[in-house]
Amino acid sequence: GYSLRFCGQRSAGGQRRFMLMASVLVGDCVKGSPNLVEPPKKQSGSHERYDTTVDNEASPTVFCVFRDYQAMPRYVIEFVLTS
């Protein structure tokens, strides 16, 4: 899946990978785009911004948070990919 692409590189002894499972404060969401470095403003001329961007507002599967305090690591998952 999507997350697997970010779990480290292949090692000499197999495909040992690590993944973090985290609790995330999502807040107010809006559809994002790859070029964003911070969430968009809620209204033109406003200083208030959305908390999170998503891939699809109706049925999101990817959430992008912009502040460290929005995510709290809970578990480190170690696994090996077999062919």
Side-chain angles (χ1 to χ4, degrees):
Y2 178 82
S3 301
L4 187 58
R5 292 184 287 168
F6 304 99
C7 292
Q9 300 176 359
R10 295 178 181 173
S11 61
Q15 295 184 11
R16 186 170 157 208
R17 304 284 179 103
F18 296 88
M19 182 183 295
L20 286 176
M21 183 179 288
S23 294
V24 180
L25 297 172
V26 178
D28 294 328
C29 300
V30 67
K31 181 158 176 52
S33 63
N35 62 331
L36 292 175
V37 293
E38 60 182 334
K41 293 182 177 180
K42 288 187 175 183
Q43 296 178 7
S44 179
S46 170
H47 293 291
E48 189 176 7
R49 295 185 177 273
Y50 285 94
D51 303 303
T52 306
T53 58
V54 294
D55 60 335
N56 180 325
E57 287 183 85
S59 182
T61 58
V62 178
F63 296 81
C64 180
V65 295
F66 294 83
R67 306 287 181 254
D68 292 343
Y69 59 80
Q70 287 179 263
M72 163 111 30
R74 295 293 185 180
Y75 302 97
V76 176
I77 302 167
E78 178 182 357
F79 59 99
V80 176
L81 293 178
T82 58
S83 36

